[in-house]
């Protein structure tokens, strides 16, 4: 109550029209309890414009489907890959970088989908030196 | 029906969730000060690592079997616990948070659907969404649900659910459980019961309830009823109102001087004040205590305590630190080897009711603004980016935590790295 000063004149005409301020949490996080953040390291996703240093929002409550970008645990490391489910080729993990070959799941000894990536946070301001225009 | 949801090897599972390289590897977690083992993964248990063993006794074994050990990361465990409890409430409307890694839930009304499928689906989702595997036991009473949980862990690990829903299952569970493993039966009572030839839960379920009350206690009588399938320990759905928030920590090395102890105290006070604000309370009083090592047979012992009242109930960290250190000054004596210092905020009230700040309204506005900004900066940049000078920088008094893992879920600098 001490945060608002006492008005002696007219009450503010906007008072009854105040709404909750927009929140990035509301936009990027639908299930807070199962949402985790991770930081990208390396260039395996560069073809879909996700770069080293970017922050990704990961929701563990989603079931990964074909073409989802997923965080998976491969041989003791977290990797971001595109899940590719094809009736002919089976399940494969693709990188968004032509230099990296697709991985077939059956080649992997230790593999697990950890969560589905839903949003990417990029620090555009501090990267403006990168574009050459 | 009542269910108990229990996280499997909670602390070890939390660590493993953020380190895929630990998959299938034996993992243990150390207590505060890295003194003893307080959690073990399944693999570590199989290697014969016991609970509460001092670290130095198993150092060699850990090396031989390549067991990974970590300092306890309570920031992480606390957050994971909160997440899991939040998810549990999506599936069960009546929940009693029993401990950091256990919750009792009501399964009332679920008999009208397929109870097993519902609980199994909830179990899978709680495990998958949080990354920490859980086991659920369901039975007509709390005590029996604990037994069901044990059976699920021992015999149906992969499924993670066991329901005692028939007389045969109840009798079978009772027969296969020693009384020492019963919920609510301590070691001393176990010894006394053994003298009456009561060894299993089944034996205990057969005793006369009045006899149990007369020779032992109402508590044991209730346990007997519960084993018989008569529920008499209800779910506690409303958490009792918080009266105090406390923090007590041990020093990594003994302290003798005032300054480092004041520094440590200031830090603990900053922690409890943060907690206070998160819960929307202000504190009307503050209690500070000191302690020497009560296990030592040779050192001089001293356990003073002091309580003071705040001028105005407040959540303003600098004021609380000032008060705490003033208190410490009063009780501190030279010449002791201090092992711990503690602080407790007392007489908590809701921040929003009452007019307790009427005469301080101007400075209070400023305080609120300062503390709000401070909390925000610290939340974004890591704890204590902005701190009171009294909190210091050296932290020589700090707990020993040699193998502390990152705070994956609460610090931006500590989030998982994805290749």
């Amino acid at each position: 109550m001490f945060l608002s000063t006492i008005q002696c004149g007219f009450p503010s005409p906007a008072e009854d029209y105040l709404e909750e301020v927009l929140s990035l949490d509301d936009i990027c996080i639908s299930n807070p309890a199962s949402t985790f953040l991770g930081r990208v390291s390396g260039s395996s996703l560069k073809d879909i414009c996700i770069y080293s240093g970017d922050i990704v929002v990961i929701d563990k409550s989603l079931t990964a489907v074909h073409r989802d970008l997923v965080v998976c645990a491969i041989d003791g490391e977290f990797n971001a890959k595109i899940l590719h489910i094809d009736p002919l080729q089976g399940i494969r993990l693709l990188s968004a970088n032509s230099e990296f070959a697709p991985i077939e799941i059956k080649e992997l000894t230790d593999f697990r989908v950890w969560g589905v990536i839903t949003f990417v946070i990029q620090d555009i301001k501090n990267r403006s030196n990168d574009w050459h225009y | 029906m009542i269910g108990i949801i229990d996280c499997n090897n909670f602390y070890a599972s939390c660590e493993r969730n953020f380190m895929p390289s630990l998959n299938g590897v034996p993992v243990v977690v150390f207590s505060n000060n890295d003194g003893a083992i307080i959690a073990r993964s399944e693999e570590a248990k199989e290697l014969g690592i016991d609970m509460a063993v001092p670290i130095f006794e198993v150092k060699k074994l850990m090396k031989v079997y390549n067991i990974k050990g970590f300092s306890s990361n309570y920031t992480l465990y606390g957050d994971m616990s909160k997440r899991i409890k939040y998810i549990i409430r999506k599936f069960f409307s009546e929940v009693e948070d029993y401990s950091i890694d256990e919750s009792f839930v009501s399964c009332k009304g679920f008999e009208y659907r397929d109870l097993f499928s519902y609980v199994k689906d909830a179990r899978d989702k709680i495990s998958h969404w949080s990354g920490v595997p859980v086991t659920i036991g369901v039975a007509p009473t709390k005590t029996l649900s604990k037994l069901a949980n044990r059976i699920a862990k021992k015999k149906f690990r992969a499924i993670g659910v066991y329901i005692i829903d028939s007389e045969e299952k109840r009798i079978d569970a009772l027969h296969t459980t020693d009384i020492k493993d019963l919920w609510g039966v301590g070691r001393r009572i176990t010894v006394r019961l053994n003298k009456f030839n009561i060894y299993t839960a089944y034996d205990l379920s057969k005793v006369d309830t009045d006899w149990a009350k007369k020779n032992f206690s109402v508590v044991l009588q209730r346990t007997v009823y519960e084993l018989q399938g008569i529920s008499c320990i209800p779910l506690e759905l409303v958490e009792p109102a918080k009266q105090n928030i406390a923090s007590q920590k041990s020093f990594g090395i003994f302290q003798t001087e005032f300054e480092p102890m004041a520094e440590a105290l200031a830090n603990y006070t900053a922690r409890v004040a943060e907690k206070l604000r998160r819960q929307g309370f202000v504190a009307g009083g503050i209690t500070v205590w000191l302690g020497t090592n009560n296990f030592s047979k040779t050192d001089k012992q001293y356990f003073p305590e002091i309580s003071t009242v705040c001028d105005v109930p407040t959540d303003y960290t600098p004021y609380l630190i000032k008060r705490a250190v003033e208190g410490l000054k009063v009780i501190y004596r030279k010449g002791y080897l201090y092992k711990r210092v503690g602080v407790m905020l007392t007489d908590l009230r809701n921040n929003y009711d009452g007019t307790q700040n009427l005469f301080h309204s101007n400075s209070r506005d400023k305080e609120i603004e300062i503390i709000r900004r401070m909390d925000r900066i610290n939340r974004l940049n890591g704890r204590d980016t902005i701190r009171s000078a009294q909190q210091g920088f050296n932290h020589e008094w700090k707990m020993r935590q040699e193998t502390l893992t990152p705070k994956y879920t609460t610090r931006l600098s500590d989030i998982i790295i994805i290749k």
Side-chain angles (χ1 to χ4, degrees):
Chain A
M1 70 179 282
F2 296 107
L3 281 173
S4 60
T5 47
I6 295 159
Q7 300 278 343
C8 298
F10 283 107
S12 161
E15 198 96 316
D16 290 345
Y17 298 90
L18 292 180
E19 292 181 0
E20 281 285 308
V21 171
L22 289 172
S23 144
L24 279 176
D25 277 10
D26 293 343
I27 298 166
C28 303
I29 300 177
S30 51
N31 194 353
S34 63
T35 300
F36 298 84
L37 299 180
R39 197 178 288 279
V40 175
S41 158
S43 59
S44 72
L45 298 175
K46 77 171 179 42
D47 292 352
I48 50 172
C49 301
I50 299 176
Y51 305 104
S52 207
D54 288 352
I55 294 169
V56 291
V57 179
I58 307 151
D59 191 343
K60 276 174 76 68
S61 71
L62 299 175
T63 307
V65 298
H66 178 52
R67 285 177 184 281
D68 268 348
L69 186 56
V70 296
V71 172
C72 40
I74 301 177
D75 295 332
E77 269 189 345
F78 285 124
N79 284 254
K81 298 282 174 198
I82 298 159
L83 189 67
H84 207 269
I85 304 171
D86 185 292
L88 292 175
Q89 293 168 304
I91 301 175
R92 291 181 308 155
L93 301 170
L94 312 183
S95 295
N97 182 336
S98 48
E99 288 162 33
F100 295 178
I103 304 173
E104 278 182 55
I105 296 232
K106 54 176 184 272
E107 297 167 7
L108 298 169
T109 48
D110 180 20
F111 164 80
R112 187 161 46 96
V113 171
W114 195 78
V116 175
I117 294 178
T118 51
F119 285 86
V120 181
I121 303 165
Q122 300 188 324
D123 186 348
I124 297 297
K125 181 87 176 78
N126 282 316
R127 196 189 289 146
S128 51
N129 291 333
D130 292 359
W131 21 95
H132 310 282
Y133 289 104
Chain B
M1 297 287 263
I2 293 175
I4 181 145
I5 303 177
D6 187 5
C7 300
N8 303 350
N9 313 321
F10 182 54
Y11 297 167
S13 297
C14 285
E15 299 291 352
R16 193 171 267 178
N17 185 28
F18 299 95
M19 272 185 280
S21 60
L22 295 179
N23 217 2
V25 173
V27 173
V28 295
V29 176
F30 307 145
S31 64
N32 281 342
N33 271 330
D34 290 353
I37 285 177
I38 53 165
R40 306 156 296 162
S41 73
E42 227 42 54
E43 300 83 359
K45 285 179 192 171
E46 274 162 28
L47 289 171
I49 304 274
D50 280 332
M51 202 63 162
V53 205
I55 303 297
F56 64 85
E57 280 182 22
V58 286
K59 267 250 154 87
K60 223 168 146 189
L61 201 64
M62 287 180 59
K63 213 162 197 171
V64 173
Y65 290 109
N66 194 22
I67 300 171
K68 298 275 183 258
F70 301 100
S71 304
S72 37
N73 185 345
Y74 282 111
T75 311
L76 178 67
Y77 311 151
D79 180 61
M80 291 304 288
S81 170
K82 244 170 50 192
R83 287 165 177 265
I84 290 162
K85 281 167 184 176
Y86 184 91
I87 299 171
I88 287 173
R89 282 181 166 76
K90 281 195 187 267
F91 298 100
F92 300 93
S93 54
E94 297 190 338
V95 184
E96 173 190 336
D97 293 331
Y98 182 64
S99 69
I100 190 167
D101 60 348
E102 292 168 289
S103 300
F104 282 108
V105 296
S106 167
C107 298
K108 210 163 39 188
F110 290 4
E111 346 14 333
Y112 302 111
R113 56 171 112 196
D114 182 351
L115 178 63
F116 178 82
S117 320
Y118 187 86
V119 173
K120 166 75 174 138
D121 178 59
R123 180 264 177 189
D124 290 346
K125 282 178 175 151
I126 297 163
S127 306
H128 184 69
W129 295 10
S130 67
V132 172
V134 302
T135 301
I136 308 184
V138 181
T141 72
K142 272 187 173 178
T143 311
L144 286 172
S145 75
K146 280 276 206 177
L147 294 194
N149 201 296
R150 266 176 62 92
I151 293 170
K153 282 216 175 87
K154 280 180 149 172
K155 287 197 196 153
F156 305 100
R157 212 172 170 75
I159 298 166
V161 173
Y162 187 73
I163 302 178
I164 297 177
D165 53 3
S166 70
E167 191 57 12
E168 299 85 72
K169 282 183 178 173
R170 183 181 73 89
I171 301 293
D172 182 57
L174 294 177
H175 273 304
T176 51
T177 307
D178 286 347
I179 41 171
K180 70 166 169 28
D181 296 324
L182 272 180
W183 186 55
V185 177
R187 200 180 312 167
R188 265 190 22 240
I189 293 175
T190 300
V191 173
R192 280 183 60 204
L193 284 170
N194 287 348
K195 286 187 186 139
F196 291 100
N197 279 330
I198 298 164
Y199 293 99
T200 65
Y202 183 77
D203 298 338
L204 185 60
S205 75
K206 285 291 175 196
V207 307
D208 181 58
T209 50
D210 290 333
W211 177 87
K213 186 180 173 185
K214 210 172 128 226
N215 290 280
F216 289 86
S217 63
V218 183
V219 179
L220 192 75
Q221 184 191 31
R222 265 194 307 208
T223 302
V224 176
Y225 275 125
E226 287 241 323
L227 291 176
Q228 293 170 349
I230 302 161
S231 177
C232 47
I233 310 174
L235 287 187
E236 279 173 38
L237 299 176
V238 187
E239 248 184 279
K242 270 244 166 73
Q243 298 296 316
N244 308 309
I245 300 178
S247 164
Q248 163 173 286
K249 300 239 173 73
S250 297
F251 300 121
I253 35 177
F254 287 114
Q255 295 298 324
T256 54
E257 301 308 307
F258 178 78
E259 266 314 314
M261 283 200 304
E263 203 178 290
L265 178 64
N267 279 280
Y268 303 156
T269 310
R271 289 298 83 80
V272 288
E274 271 169 24
K275 216 177 196 178
L276 184 79
R277 289 194 292 277
R278 266 205 306 274
Q279 302 179 356
F281 289 120
V282 286
I286 186 162
T287 299
V288 171
W289 64 91
L290 269 174
T292 47
N293 179 14
N294 48 347
F295 292 111
S296 167
K297 295 209 166 71
T298 49
D299 298 338
K300 273 191 295 176
Q301 302 285 315
Y302 182 45
F303 301 94
E305 183 184 308
I306 189 169
S307 297
T308 57
V309 177
C310 302
D311 298 327
V312 169
T314 185
D315 58 5
Y316 188 55
T317 303
Y319 177 85
L320 291 168
I321 288 178
K322 188 170 146 251
R323 266 290 142 108
V325 172
E326 280 168 9
L328 183 70
K329 220 170 255 169
V330 176
I331 55 174
Y332 168 77
R333 298 274 180 282
K334 238 185 158 49
Y336 293 98
L337 292 174
Y338 291 105
K339 180 69 183 159
R340 65 184 72 93
V341 66
V343 58
M344 179 161 71
L345 301 181
T346 57
D347 187 19
L348 304 191
R349 313 160 189 203
N350 205 310
N351 194 359
Y352 307 104
D353 57 40
T355 50
Q356 56 258 33
N357 295 312
L358 192 57
F359 302 108
H360 289 249
S361 64
N362 282 336
S363 62
R364 177 65 184 158
D365 277 359
K366 218 161 96 190
E367 283 178 11
I368 289 174
E369 195 53 29
I370 292 171
I371 214 78
R372 202 180 58 80
R373 289 187 190 193
M374 199 177 107
D375 281 346
R376 186 181 147 74
I377 291 169
N378 287 342
R379 203 168 53 237
L380 292 175
N381 299 285
R383 189 168 258 179
D384 291 334
T385 303
I386 293 196
R387 67 182 117 186
S388 172
Q390 181 73 62
Q391 286 177 252
F393 293 92
N394 279 331
H395 294 187
E396 281 162 17
W397 43 268
K398 223 182 156 161
M399 283 197 295
R400 231 176 32 223
Q401 293 186 311
E402 280 167 1
T403 47
L404 186 60
T405 46
K407 297 180 171 55
Y408 301 102
T409 62
T410 52
R411 272 195 202 181
L412 195 49
S413 55
D414 285 13
I415 59 179
I416 57 166
I417 301 290
I418 301 160
K419 291 267 167 75

